[in-house]
Amino acid sequence: MIRIVDLLNQQPVGETIEVCGWLRTRRDSGALSFLEINDGSCLAGLQVVAEESLANYATEVSRLTTGCSLRIQGVLVASPAKGQDVEVQATTITVIGWADPETYPLQKKRHSFEYLRSISHLRSRTNALGAVARVRSTLSFAIHRFFHEQGFLQVHTPVITTSDCEGAGEMFTVTSLEPAQMQGSAPFSGDFFGRRAGLTVSGQLQAEIFALSHSRVYTFGPTFRAENSNTSRHLAEFWMLEPEMAFCDLNGNMEMAEVMIKYLVKAVLAECAEDLELFDRFIARGVHKKLTRLSDRPFVRLTYTEAIAELERSSRRFDFPVQWGLDLQAEHERYLCEEVAQAPVIVTNYPKKIKPFYMRLDDDGHTVAAMDILVAGIGELVGGSQREERYDLLAQRMTEAGLDLDQYSWYLDLRRYGSVPHAGYGLGFERLVQFVTGMSNIRDVIPFPRTPGSAPC
């Protein structure tokens, strides 16, 4: 059996082939039926010509409807039809599975993404969501390829953790106890792990352990945040890419992140041209041009103070206030990269009060060696920093953040024993997929979105 994408690319005309897929459409013309099948390997379908001389033409082929699964045997021939190079002259058509036309929810018409979210077990069969799946797979593979070429070691950090990296208190608790068993001043002392544990919001802290023994590492996996936000930008379960580099400062961190983003964008441009054309035509006009420009131009760098000054000079009326010391909101981030720089922007040196405890304190004592990469249509795509490698300053920041130093003694040990400057960043994978596809809702770039009140499949 051969994939449709291979048939269309290799075009072994004259050969007898076998191909399987799902029926998109059937059109009858006299003594012929024209079937379009797709197996998910590419956007394009394969036309199959079925003559009424087939043994099961009257009993099965003429009854085929959208969604049926088929095995086709036949000869690949040059196609006289416009818009396709080859087609299959069927010698045998086997119906593997029927699809009831009265209840099958996908027909040859455009369905809203909101409707498709209600049938998440079938939506990957549509053109747009199928294309998203292929782009997502290409990006995932390109991430591993990039870091392998750069000499990074992949580390599998835990999904269950006792450390709240962001300190925001938005972790999902993992427990084997019933509510009535959670009593007293230490309600989790009798729990499975003997202490409170949760689903990870980041693998960064554990990745730092291996960065300080293997120099260059990355972790790429699911993370979880119990943030009760039902918007087009938030998920309760999402994937994070988090590289960590020893002997690296903020500048090296920014350079690595910029090179990586350009590498990933070029991979999609090279390997997903047909899918990008669909997004450019039907989802987000100009997305192909946007990606091409990003891969060819340097990112613009601004300090947080410079970014605030740009926003204050703007005649734009923002919904959220612009003031030094307040965090940038998505509307501010998009304005900076879409209208001020007209390119991706790297904002650095944020006020320490709005950033986590692990970020390295700048010499001014008021800002930290942080960086965010902002892109059009999304806002923040990457967030990172040089980590605080100085024991005393880190312990002070942790105390100010209200963290139990005993609980994080292992993290402080990394500063006691052979500490070095090191840096890293996190990239929200779904935001990257959104950026390269132009999809407006983050729920449509992950196969099975988990959001407040919703966890299908």
Side-chain angles (χ1 to χ4, degrees):
M1 189 180 70
I2 189 169
R3 298 183 308 158
I4 288 176
V5 66
D6 297 325
L7 282 177
L8 298 180
N9 289 335
Q10 298 171 7
Q11 300 179 11
V13 175
E15 292 188 12
T16 299
I17 57 96
E18 180 177 282
V19 64
C20 294
W22 292 267
L23 182 67
R24 289 285 180 87
T25 61
R26 190 194 89 230
R27 176 175 57 87
D28 298 329
S29 178
L32 299 174
S33 283
F34 296 94
L35 314 177
E36 182 190 342
I37 65 169
N38 188 277
D39 64 359
S41 62
C42 60
L43 180 64
L46 177 67
Q47 178 164 285
V48 177
V49 180
E51 299 180 353
E52 65 177 357
S53 57
L54 292 173
N56 62 340
Y57 184 88
T59 58
E60 294 186 322
V61 175
S62 63
R63 296 172 47 225
L64 291 173
T65 57
T66 300
C68 292
S69 55
L70 308 173
R71 178 182 290 112
I72 311 290
Q73 294 175 320
V75 179
L76 194 70
V77 299
S79 176
K82 191 175 181 180
Q84 58 191 33
D85 295 325
V86 293
E87 62 186 25
V88 175
Q89 294 281 352
T91 55
T92 303
I93 296 178
T94 303
V95 181
I96 301 173
W98 292 93
D100 184 352
E102 298 298 322
T103 59
Y104 187 61
L106 295 174
Q107 299 299 324
K108 190 175 174 58
K109 65 177 183 178
R110 295 188 70 177
H111 299 284
S112 72
F113 291 122
E114 183 177 7
Y115 168 72
L116 292 175
R117 280 177 227 129
S118 70
I119 51 169
S120 59
H121 58 298
L122 295 172
R123 68 175 185 163
S124 59
R125 299 186 185 188
T126 63
N127 283 339
L129 277 299
V132 167
R134 285 186 293 272
V135 168
R136 187 180 173 103
S137 178
T138 296
L139 284 169
S140 178
F141 186 76
I143 282 170
H144 293 293
R145 187 171 65 227
F146 173 80
F147 285 109
H148 178 74
E149 292 173 1
Q150 294 289 328
F152 280 69
L153 179 80
Q154 185 183 11
V155 177
H156 296 127
T157 53
V159 171
I160 299 175
T161 182
T162 58
S163 304
D164 186 355
C165 177
E166 300 300 323
E170 295 173 342
M171 293 173 64
F172 285 98
T173 297
V174 175
T175 180
S176 62
L177 299 177
E178 296 295 331
Q181 296 174 286
M182 300 180 194
Q183 304 293 332
S185 59
F188 295 96
S189 60
D191 208 346
F192 189 89
F193 296 104
R195 59 193 295 189
R196 185 168 189 170
L199 296 178
T200 184
V201 297
S202 169
Q204 176 204 313
L205 301 188
Q206 290 83 2
E208 284 188 56
I209 294 173
F210 277 81
L212 295 179
S213 63
H214 289 73
S215 297
R216 286 186 164 196
V217 303
Y218 74 102
T219 181
F220 182 33
T223 54
F224 309 85
R225 184 162 295 175
E227 183 178 4
N228 192 19
S229 181
N230 226 333
T231 75
S232 62
R233 300 180 68 246
H234 293 92
L235 291 166
E237 178 184 357
F238 50 97
W239 282 63
M240 285 288 290
L241 168 67
E242 297 174 292
E244 288 288 328
M245 296 161 284
F247 312 104
C248 181
D249 61 10
L250 182 63
N251 285 327
N253 200 33
M254 290 188 287
E255 290 167 7
M256 182 61 72
E258 180 173 346
V259 170
M260 181 205 68
I261 292 171
K262 290 180 176 179
Y263 181 99
L264 299 179
V265 166
K266 287 178 180 178
V268 172
L269 287 169
E271 300 173 36
C272 300
E274 185 183 39
D275 294 317
L276 285 180
E277 182 182 356
L278 177 142
F279 297 126
D280 205 74
R281 290 180 60 194
F282 300 109
I283 305 298
R285 287 281 186 183
V287 67
H288 191 281
K289 181 180 179 180
K290 175 188 72 174
L291 297 177
T292 303
R293 289 185 64 191
L294 178 145
S295 63
D296 294 336
R297 299 174 60 188
F299 292 3
V300 174
R301 298 187 183 187
L302 297 171
T303 65
Y304 169 86
T305 300
E306 291 169 336
I308 291 296
E310 287 284 358
L311 293 167
E312 288 177 335
R313 283 195 293 268
S314 169
S315 58
R316 172 74 64 86
R317 295 188 62 182
F318 297 107
D319 293 333
F320 292 90
V322 174
Q323 180 182 328
W324 201 100
L326 298 180
D327 205 357
L328 298 179
Q329 301 298 317
E331 60 176 346
H332 307 143
E333 295 169 340
R334 292 186 58 180
Y335 176 81
L336 290 170
C337 57
E338 293 173 11
E339 301 194 36
V340 175
Q342 297 183 352
V345 174
I346 307 179
V347 179
T348 64
N349 306 100
Y350 283 79
K352 70 174 184 178
K353 292 183 178 179
I354 61 174
K355 289 297 183 180
F357 68 91
Y358 52 76
M359 295 188 175
R360 193 181 200 275
L361 191 65
D362 291 330
D363 292 340
D364 62 13
H366 301 294
T367 60
V368 290
M371 67 94 175
D372 287 344
I373 299 182
L374 317 178
V375 295
I378 299 295
E380 181 189 337
L381 179 64
V382 168
S385 71
Q386 183 173 341
R387 315 311 189 189
E388 183 57 80
E389 85 280 10
R390 298 163 293 186
Y391 178 92
D392 292 343
L393 289 176
L394 178 61
Q396 179 182 332
R397 292 291 308 281
M398 294 173 75
T399 300
E400 292 172 355
L403 297 179
D404 183 345
L405 298 190
D406 289 337
Q407 184 178 345
Y408 289 86
S409 61
W410 62 270
Y411 191 66
L412 289 166
D413 274 354
L414 300 176
R415 277 68 179 172
R416 288 191 182 100
Y417 310 126
S419 182
V420 301
H422 59 289
Y425 57 85
L427 177 144
F429 187 56
E430 281 70 34
R431 289 192 179 185
L432 176 64
V433 179
Q434 269 193 285
F435 176 69
V436 300
T437 61
M439 298 292 283
S440 61
N441 196 312
I442 200 167
R443 303 177 192 195
D444 298 323
V445 297
I446 190 169
F448 305 103
R450 268 69 175 120
T451 56
S454 178
C457 300

